[in-house]
Each structure stands twice: as C-alpha cells, then as structure tokens.
Amino acid sequence: MDITTERLVLHAIDRDAAARIVAGEPSVADLWHPDYPFADELDPLRVLASADPASVHPVFTLYQVLRRSDGLAVGGIGFFGAPDSDGVAEIGYGLVEAARGSGLATEALRAASVVAFAHGARAIIADTHPENRASQRVLEKAGFTETHRDAQAVHYRLEPGSAKRVV
C-alpha cells in the first residue's frame, strides 16, 4: 500500500526491498539518496526482511519516504507493528539531512497518522530524544501532544481528530 501526499509517496517496504536496503544494494529501479538509509533505520528493516510474510501487516509496516518530484528515497517512516490491544500504534520516522527543514517529515507523519486511524488505530505514540527539538516540532505540527518526558525521551500521543489531513 502506498500513501500519496502533495510532495511525497510513502512506499510500503516488502521483505525483498528491506533486504536490499539493509545490504545497501539497490535494484536498478531503486533511487536512494546517498545518505539513505541511516543507521537507526536498519534494525527495523532487518526485522522486516526476516519476517514471515503472513505476519507483515499491510498498513502498519515500514515505508520509504519518496519525493514525488523525482522518486528519490529520502527517509523512512513506519509503525512498530499493528495497534496493541488498546488500539495504540507506535510510529517512528527520519529523513536524510538534505531533506530536513522543508516540512517533509511533518507531511509524512500526518499522512501516515490519517491512514492509521482509518485502519483502526485509536491512538498513535512516538518519542524523540530530549535534545532533538526539530523532531519535537515535527510531532507538534502533526498534532501530537507531549505526554511526558524523562532523561531518555520526550513522549508524544496523537488521538483521532488531532491528525492534520494532507492526503
């Protein structure tokens, strides 16, 4: 399933694509920014690459963030599995440095959130490092509310109706 916005395509990553990304071996059809992928994206991709295909949720999965203008992969966004028994899904995201600062992360986060709510999530949570003010601002612009903070992270939550539509 792909999610399309004004400037982006969030392209669902299948097991084969996850394996290529982890190996750093793009196919001829893959267009990756030279800094893609980044290190903290590799662990979730490894899990996806080795997952039983039947266990991969078609919506609550990992996505490449592609610019619509040229198809270039400039980051990733994804869910850490389907919503839990309370309907809460966790999301993470990141863009290569060259793609930051132009609202692309907010656009991707808003779009993924709208789709998650349309597919049964009752809330979405995310966290970021306390010193990562840019990521905190992305979450806030996408409608997330800070719930608490500790020495390791600032925690956010988004409820239905708070997600700002971009799709």
Side-chain angles (χ1 to χ4, degrees):
M1 168 180 181
D2 286 353
I3 303 166
T4 303
T5 71
E6 180 182 342
R7 299 180 295 163
L8 300 171
V9 173
L10 307 184
H11 178 68
I13 301 172
D14 63 22
R15 292 178 62 228
D16 293 337
R20 286 194 315 274
I21 296 166
V22 168
E25 299 173 355
S27 73
V28 293
D30 292 325
L31 297 173
W32 298 347
H33 186 279
D35 296 334
Y36 177 82
F38 30 90
D40 63 354
E41 192 174 14
L42 294 176
D43 284 340
L45 286 165
R46 283 185 189 100
V47 171
L48 178 58
S50 63
D52 174 357
S55 71
V56 178
H57 195 283
V59 174
F60 297 97
T61 188
L62 304 177
Y63 297 83
Q64 282 183 314
V65 176
L66 308 175
R67 291 190 308 218
R68 284 183 64 188
S69 62
D70 58 9
L72 189 69
V74 294
I77 189 165
F79 297 94
F80 297 95
D84 65 17
S85 60
D86 294 323
V88 178
E90 184 175 3
I91 196 167
Y93 58 90
L95 296 179
V96 298
E97 189 170 339
R100 296 176 190 162
S102 62
L104 295 179
T106 302
E107 187 173 327
L109 186 56
R110 286 175 177 167
S113 298
V114 168
V115 170
F117 288 131
H119 286 85
R122 289 188 225 135
I124 303 169
I125 58 173
D127 63 63
T128 187
H129 295 287
E131 63 277 358
N132 191 344
R133 185 65 189 130
S135 185
Q136 293 167 37
R137 186 70 190 120
V138 165
L139 288 160
E140 292 162 2
K141 287 191 307 185
F144 284 71
T145 302
E146 181 180 331
T147 59
H148 64 285
R149 61 177 60 218
D150 53 41
Q152 290 78 35
V154 182
H155 303 268
Y156 287 85
R157 184 178 180 99
L158 182 68
E159 301 288 342
S162 300
K164 299 177 182 173
R165 289 192 63 86
V166 295
V167 292

